[in-house]
């Protein structure tokens, strides 16, 4: 029966971890040498204009492309048109788009009803004035209608800065210092959050170059889906400044790449109450994707603060915000005349008329079209179809979904977990295993390039977001294209060292 949520069936975490563990115990599978040669030839001959322009871009832009989620093996594709489920590149190739801009376009790309209203607004007042616009109120009320716990909403320019703001509010409210995040989770790229990225237990060893250790000196990391370890950390922190907040991605780190059990968020809520920490739920991905009530509505758990991003501006720029109980969010009051003792946050382009009004219109359209649920059904169809193909070709790959967030692990490059160690000595085994991780990452890139050459855009070759635009016909066509890739996959014997 329809419940408005995208997730038809929550899967327990352990069987998924077991399958991922089995996958990493296997040799690396990838497209055959012959197929890879065809893929690379496709890029050379059919994507020549993309190659030319992105080669030029490399002279002026680091890496030749500005977005971290853009695939750049063998080179980035230059997109010229986006429409519903499809993207078109500069050479005229058409792709089925499962990147969906990294999540914001749940209605499909360039959704006409939102676009038309955005154009009308720009014609009337331009994208920005720096003063109040009705769109701000409409958006805050619309969010509150679907997430009653979000009594107040402070709009900001990105998920990253909203996380920074929420942590500041939590420290201000609790007078505690420390923050706890879950290993592998992504909460944006602020200094204190580039910690434990991607690989649980990796703490500051992987990506925190250029960050003085003091910046993450009050950040702690716990193992995913492990409430026992969270409680131990909360207890420990009582003796070293107290915990201001626990931050979670509600479906698990990296948008559910490391899944959690259904009861996990409830357990986090209880522990936060027990130890006087605020519960910050990062709904940047799940907000208006899992359902209009967000993951908090789906799990029936009330966080103290909610982080928004992506869909909150309807796929238009400047998408971010912090919402929650009045007592906390009012501490971020804006405006020149504000005298209260506030947590200072803001941004020149934050909450501009375009992002607020586009967000409001998009959420209304999501409600009208039942987009979350339909995108979730598309995710189910894609997952079931992919599983049937993996069975047909006897591939050990792992596919599962949380509604419209579909995970397709071909090498499980990110499945390593060093969090059982959590000691300085943990660096040693981690480095020892790293070459295997890197080889698996190369295989993932080559699979991603093969998907691309067959007209499928994925997120890093391992995640697929579905949208309202993904009709049964689109999904079935995508499955045909996946089959064209899978039929050429074998145990990889070529050198995957970079
Ligand atoms: C869960 C989560 N939190 C925070 C962020 C950061 O948001 P932004 O890219 O808008 O800074 C992201 C971005 O992907 C995210 O997935």
């Amino acid at each position: 029966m329809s419940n408005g949520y995208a997730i038809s069936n929550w899967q327990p975490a352990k069987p998924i971890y077991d399958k991922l563990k089995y996958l990493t115990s296997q040799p690396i599978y990838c497209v055959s040498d012959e197929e890879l040669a065809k893929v690379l030839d496709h890029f050379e001959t059919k994507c020549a204009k993309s190659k030319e322009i992105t080669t030029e871009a490399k002279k002026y832009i680091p890496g030749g492309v500005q977005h971290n989620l853009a695939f750049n093996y063998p080179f980035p594709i230059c997109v010229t048109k986006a429409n519903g489920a499809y993207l078109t590149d500069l050479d005229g190739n058409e792709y089925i788009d499962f990147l969906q801009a990294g999540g914001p376009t749940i209605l499909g790309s360039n959704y006409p009803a939102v676009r038309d209203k955005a154009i009308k607004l720009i014609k009337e007042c331009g994208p920005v004035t720096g003063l109040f616009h009705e769109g701000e109120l409409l958006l805050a009320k619309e969010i509150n209608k679907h997430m009653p716990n979000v009594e107040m909403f402070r709009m900001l320019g990105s998920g990253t800065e909203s996380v920074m703001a929420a942590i500041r509010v939590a420290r201000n409210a609790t007078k505690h210092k420390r923050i706890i995040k879950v290993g592998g989770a992504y909460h944006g790229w602020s200094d204190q959050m580039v910690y434990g990225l991607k690989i649980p237990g990796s703490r500051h060893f992987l990506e925190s170059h250029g960050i003085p250790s003091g910046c993450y000196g009050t950040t702690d990391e716990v193992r995913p889906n492990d409430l026992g370890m969270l409680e131990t950390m909360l207890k420990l922190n009582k003796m070293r400044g107290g915990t201001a907040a626990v931050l979670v991605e509600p479906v698990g780190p990296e948008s559910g790449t490391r899944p959690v059990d259904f009861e996990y968020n409830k357990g986090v809520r209880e522990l936060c109450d027990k130890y006087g920490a605020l519960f910050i739920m990062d709904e940047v991905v799940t907000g208006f994707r899992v359902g209009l009530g967000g993951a908090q509505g789906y799990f029936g758990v009330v966080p103290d603060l909610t982080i928004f991003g992506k869909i909150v501006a309807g796929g238009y720029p400047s998408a971010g915000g912090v919402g929650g109980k009045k007592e906390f969010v009012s501490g971020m009051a804006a405006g020149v005349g504000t005298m209260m003792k506030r947590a200072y946050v803001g941004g020149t382009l934050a909450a501009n008329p375009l992002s607020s009004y586009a967000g409001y219109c998009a959420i209304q359209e999501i409600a009208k079209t039942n987009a979350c649920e339909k995108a979730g059904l598309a995710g189910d169809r894609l997952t079931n179809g992919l599983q049937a193909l993996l069975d047909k070709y006897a591939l050990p790959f792992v596919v599962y979904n949380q509604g419209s967030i579909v995970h397709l692990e071909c090498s499980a490059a990110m499945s390593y977990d060093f969090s059982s160690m959590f000691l300085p000595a943990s660096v040693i085994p981690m480095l020892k295993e790293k070459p295997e991780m890197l080889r698996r990452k190369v295989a993932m890139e080559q699979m991603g390039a093969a998907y691309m050459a067959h007209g499928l855009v994925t997120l890093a070759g391992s995640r697929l977001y579905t949208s309202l635009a993904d009709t049964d016909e689109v999904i079935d066509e995508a499955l045909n294209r996946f089959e064209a890739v899978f039929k050429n996959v074998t145990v990889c014997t070529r050198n995957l060292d970079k």
Side-chain angles (χ1 to χ4, degrees):
M1 205 182 75
S2 159
N3 63 3
Y5 283 99
I7 303 171
S8 55
N9 174 28
W10 188 262
Q11 298 167 51
K14 185 164 184 313
I16 300 174
Y17 284 111
D18 288 346
K19 282 189 201 162
L20 290 169
K21 202 162 175 199
Y22 176 73
L23 177 55
T24 50
S25 77
Q26 295 297 298
I28 301 176
Y29 283 66
C30 196
V31 285
S32 64
D33 295 354
E34 200 189 1
E35 178 64 11
L36 184 62
K38 280 191 202 158
V39 165
L40 296 178
D41 181 64
H42 169 95
F43 275 92
E44 286 298 320
T45 55
K46 299 280 184 343
C47 307
K49 290 183 183 162
S50 276
K51 184 174 181 183
E52 194 186 334
I53 194 168
T54 57
T55 304
E56 171 79 356
K58 275 192 191 138
K59 291 187 210 154
Y60 303 98
I61 297 171
V65 61
Q66 301 284 20
H67 207 284
N68 279 346
L69 296 181
F71 228 97
N72 46 15
Y73 175 75
F75 50 80
I77 290 299
C78 173
V79 173
T80 52
K81 282 187 207 148
N83 180 20
Y86 295 96
L87 297 177
T88 308
D89 72 15
L90 190 57
D91 293 88
N93 302 303
E94 195 177 71
Y95 302 84
I96 299 177
D97 175 22
F98 292 118
L99 173 60
Q100 286 292 330
T105 52
I106 182 94
L107 292 162
S109 280
N110 211 357
Y111 191 72
V114 179
R115 180 186 62 218
D116 293 348
K117 288 181 180 148
I119 290 173
K120 186 166 178 285
L121 175 125
I122 288 177
K123 278 187 177 158
E124 281 166 8
C125 81
V128 66
T129 65
L131 296 175
F132 180 80
H133 185 273
E134 188 191 6
E136 297 171 39
L137 174 63
L138 292 172
L139 176 61
K141 279 174 82 171
E142 188 70 14
I143 294 174
N144 172 260
K145 185 167 108 190
H146 300 294
M147 295 184 177
N149 152 60
V150 178
E151 295 168 359
M152 284 192 154
F153 173 68
R154 175 72 155 101
M155 194 169 194
L156 293 164
S158 69
T160 297
E161 55 189 278
S162 305
V163 167
M164 290 161 62
I167 291 171
R168 189 171 293 174
V169 167
R171 287 193 168 123
N172 201 17
T174 60
K175 309 295 172 218
H176 296 165
K177 267 203 303 214
R178 306 197 70 84
I179 47 175
I180 302 178
K181 68 161 290 193
V182 182
Y186 185 60
H187 297 290
W189 57 273
S190 64
D191 284 351
Q192 59 198 328
M193 285 286 106
V194 179
Y195 189 89
L197 278 195
K198 298 185 181 118
I199 312 285
S202 61
R203 303 192 293 163
H204 57 280
F205 298 120
L206 278 186
E207 306 240 28
S208 64
H209 308 289
I211 303 175
S213 56
C215 294
Y216 47 75
T218 48
T219 307
D220 303 306
E221 186 193 342
V222 293
R223 205 176 295 127
N225 201 32
D226 188 340
L227 292 170
M229 186 169 186
L230 177 59
E231 175 146 30
T232 305
M233 191 64 82
L234 285 159
K235 261 188 209 157
L236 178 68
N237 283 357
K238 270 173 76 172
M239 294 174 291
R240 43 181 202 167
T243 305
V246 178
L247 287 97
V248 301
E249 287 185 70
V251 296
E254 271 286 349
S255 305
T257 299
R258 293 170 196 278
V260 294
D261 286 316
F262 189 86
E263 295 301 319
Y264 179 75
N265 288 280
K266 191 162 160 268
V268 174
R269 174 71 276 174
E270 285 164 8
L271 288 174
C272 283
D273 290 341
K274 188 167 165 191
Y275 291 90
L278 298 200
F279 181 1
I280 302 179
M281 193 179 273
D282 184 339
E283 295 239 39
V284 165
V285 169
T286 52
F288 320 114
R289 175 168 286 281
V290 163
L292 283 166
Q296 54 198 269
Y298 176 73
F299 291 116
V301 171
V302 177
D304 298 298
L305 291 167
T306 301
I307 309 296
F308 294 89
K310 302 192 192 271
I311 295 174
V312 82
Y316 285 78
S318 276
V322 185
K325 296 175 184 163
K326 228 172 243 180
E327 62 182 295
F328 303 128
V329 181
S330 57
M332 287 180 284
V336 174
T338 306
M339 296 300 287
M340 63 184 297
K341 199 177 158 208
R342 63 177 163 174
Y344 183 82
V345 300
T348 307
L349 291 189
N352 62 72
L354 176 61
S355 10
S356 337
Y357 189 61
Y360 163 68
C361 296
I363 297 170
Q364 280 201 320
E365 287 297 322
I366 291 168
K368 210 191 307 171
T369 56
N370 208 4
C372 298
E373 204 177 358
K374 287 187 185 150
L377 290 172
D380 289 348
R381 189 178 182 92
L382 183 60
T383 305
N384 294 337
L386 285 169
Q387 186 60 63
L389 291 174
L390 298 181
D391 294 344
K392 181 171 168 186
Y393 292 97
L395 296 173
F397 298 175
V398 179
V399 62
Y400 62 96
N401 69 317
Q402 295 107 354
S404 56
I405 311 169
V406 179
H407 304 270
L408 172 61
E409 298 289 348
C410 58
S411 70
M414 306 261 292
S415 280
Y416 290 82
D417 183 341
F418 302 106
S419 57
S420 54
M421 299 164 238
F422 273 112
L423 292 166
S426 67
V427 193
I428 296 150
M430 184 163 125
L431 291 179
K432 227 168 50 190
E433 291 205 43
K434 225 173 157 189
E436 169 74 1
M437 261 167 60
L438 293 179
R439 277 193 287 276
R440 288 186 174 270
K441 188 163 166 281
V442 171
M444 187 171 96
E445 275 167 16
Q446 294 180 352
M447 285 297 293
Y451 298 144
M452 199 84 156
H454 284 85
L456 294 161
V457 181
T458 62
L459 193 164
S462 64
R463 199 182 312 154
L464 306 110
Y465 288 116
T466 52
S467 78
L468 176 68
D470 290 324
T471 59
D472 288 355
E473 292 72 34
V474 171
I475 296 296
D476 293 347
E477 175 52 27
L479 290 168
N480 289 338
R481 297 181 190 191
F482 274 109
E483 179 158 21
V485 177
F486 290 160
K487 65 163 61 139
N488 292 303
V489 168
T490 60
V491 171
C492 188
T493 50
R494 67 181 162 269
N495 183 4
L496 293 170
D497 289 321
K498 268 199 169 164

